Amino acid sequence: MSDKIPEGNRSARERLAQQREREKGREKRRRTLIVSSAVVGVLALAAVVGLIAANAGKDGGGDTASGPAVAPSGAIGEDALTVPVGAADAPSTLTIWEDFRCPVCAQFETAFRDTVAELADEGQVKVEYHLATIIDGNLGGTGSLRAANAAACAQDAGKFAPYHDVLFSNQPPEPDDAFAKNSRLVELAGEVEGLDTPAFRSCVEDGEHDSWVKKSDTAFREGGFQGTPTVLLNGESVFPSKGGEQISPENLKKWVAAANKGKELGTATPSDPATPADPSGRSSGPAS
């Protein structure tokens, strides 16, 4: 028996193979088109959902930042735009600019909250918080503004630090403007002992510190910062890196220790009885 394929059969098989290859090519192109269309559809849907979410849920929490800037109790610095946490006489200063809708800020807080609290509690650093509203500007909505105002209201009650932590721990997805709802911000205040009071609710619902928040955001935009979070140790950027080293809890402690070498740790405690240490052990700095 010959192992040679007759010419006629060879041609038929070749034609069949070529046809199969063409069919595979068409099927591949069809699947690529389907996948591409699905991706475009998902992105379009996400854009629509994001637009709807960014403009939804404003239960009396619109932008009321048209009056004079009313700084929260204990705010310090130029134009009283800084919310201090920790001993005022600590040898180093950790400056943190954040937006409560910013997902990277929430990631930073998750990774560094305990470390920052430890450094502040030990008197190694005083933490100076500044609030921005860039996500409102980028995606629309008022969640950044509303949450920042609520945090300022918590500062009035001496409970900025724990409420700040609660907000980031419960941050909604970036396109979801859930923090635009004053009712949600009041609900979260229930997680901080003693914060959910008539005075706090009134402060949140009236937007008492809206103009102050707007002024803080203007300072952020005019400060030449690249985004949130912006983290500075004694004025030097340490996020996401410093001197070629990536930030980490261990490196942050190392950098602070080097900056504090030979210096006395801070011991000052809040002097205003209206701003006591909060239940988490993190204390608001004294008013200046």
Side-chain angles (χ1 to χ4, degrees), residues 103-115 168-169:
V104 182
C105 296
Q107 293 168 11
F108 170 80
E109 286 295 330
T110 298
F112 292 93
R113 178 181 297 121
D114 292 344
T115 302
F168 276 119
S169 295

Side-chain angles (χ1 to χ4, degrees), residues 22-204:
R22 286 194 296 271
E23 290 176 352
K24 288 181 180 179
R26 285 196 294 269
E27 178 65 16
K28 183 176 181 181
R29 288 192 295 273
R30 186 179 73 84
R31 289 180 179 177
T32 300
L33 180 60
I34 291 173
V35 171
S36 299
S37 299
V39 170
V40 171
V42 168
L43 291 177
L45 178 60
V48 172
V49 171
L51 180 61
I52 293 173
N55 290 280
K58 302 177 182 63
D59 57 339
D63 184 351
T64 59
S66 57
V70 179
S73 175
I76 63 173
E78 184 177 356
D79 293 328
L81 296 178
T82 302
V83 177
V85 171
D89 59 347
S92 287
T93 300
L94 192 66
T95 303
I96 303 177
W97 287 87
E98 293 179 314
D99 181 329
F100 286 110
R101 286 182 71 186
C102 163
V104 182
C105 296
Q107 293 168 11
F108 170 80
E109 286 295 330
T110 298
F112 292 93
R113 178 181 297 121
D114 292 344
T115 302
V116 171
E118 178 184 336
L119 291 170
D121 290 345
E122 292 176 352
Q124 297 192 57
V125 299
K126 63 176 177 179
V127 188
E128 296 188 343
Y129 287 100
H130 298 262
L131 305 179
T133 62
I134 61 173
I135 304 301
D136 284 358
N138 291 343
L139 296 182
T142 59
S144 299
L145 172 64
R146 301 261 47 79
N149 172 70
C153 295
Q155 169 67 11
D156 286 338
K159 299 180 183 294
F160 172 85
Y163 186 63
H164 160 278
D165 294 350
V166 165
L167 287 177
F168 276 119
S169 295
N170 291 274
Q171 184 188 73
E174 187 177 13
D176 181 357
D177 198 22
F179 282 169
K181 296 182 178 181
N182 288 332
S183 57
R184 176 56 174 160
L185 299 170
V186 170
E187 177 187 7
L188 290 175
E191 298 187 21
V192 178
E193 184 178 357
L195 179 57
D196 185 5
T197 64
F200 174 80
R201 290 187 174 216
S202 177
C203 181
V204 170

